Amino acid sequence: MPKFVRCIIVLVILLFSLSACDSVPESYTIRRGGQDLMINTENSTITCGADIYTYELSKYGIPYDLTIYYPDGSSFWWHENENGGYGGWSANYNPRNYLDGEVLGEALVASFPDDKSDRILPCFLLLLLACVHILAPVGMWACYFGLYREGEPSDGELLGVRLLGVLIIMGTAAWFWDVF
């Protein structure tokens, strides 16, 4: 099988792996507002000491709608979109009795998986460019230096072009997975 075909197969597999969605953990503990909060996403509950709050969340990601129900029957709600958010509370809500709704909402938002779908196409194009650097270094050398120099590239220059392809792959992976 030619190198080019193998490279395309690897790119397709990498593209599918890049588009895989992160999942939200079933249960986790997070510290917010000076309190340890135990969040159970399966039962939609937040536990802080003896208090158990229930919540309704439209989805894990932005935009979302969140309503938190307190043990005394009061509620806090929040709507978030790409440009910001707004919220409110029920008439019987008393922030002195329980944790503030914004603190509880921040704890839930901290568990949202990152939406990387807007990075898939640029990553694919960068990986394609990297493969061209690795598989056709003479052509890439000609793109970089062909107008300024005549003749053939040296082995060191071709190695440099291939190493640039490897660096593009490493940089693309680091950008996609938020390493930097």
Side-chain angles (χ1 to χ4, degrees), residues 10-22 114-128 168-178:
V10 168
L11 277 176
V12 169
I13 291 170
L14 185 59
L15 178 65
F16 284 123
S17 69
L18 289 179
S19 64
C21 296
D22 291 334
D114 292 334
D115 183 18
K116 295 181 173 113
S117 61
D118 57 339
R119 298 182 192 179
I120 291 175
L121 181 61
C123 285
F124 179 76
L125 294 175
L126 284 168
L127 292 173
L128 189 61
I168 292 171
I169 290 172
M170 291 169 54
T172 302
W175 174 56
F176 187 80
W177 284 292
D178 293 323

Side-chain angles (χ1 to χ4, degrees), residues 23-32 35-49 53 55 57 59-61 64 66 68 102-113:
S23 61
V24 178
E26 182 180 310
S27 180
Y28 60 95
T29 301
I30 190 166
R31 188 159 185 82
R32 287 287 191 269
Q35 303 281 334
D36 285 330
L37 305 175
M38 209 280 288
I39 299 176
N40 186 323
T41 58
E42 186 176 324
N43 297 328
S44 299
T45 60
I46 304 171
T47 306
C48 179
Y53 310 91
Y55 66 88
L57 183 62
K59 72 173 197 165
Y60 285 94
Y64 68 88
L66 170 66
I68 298 172
E102 291 179 6
V103 172
L104 296 170
E106 287 174 9
L108 284 170
V109 170
S111 71
F112 284 5

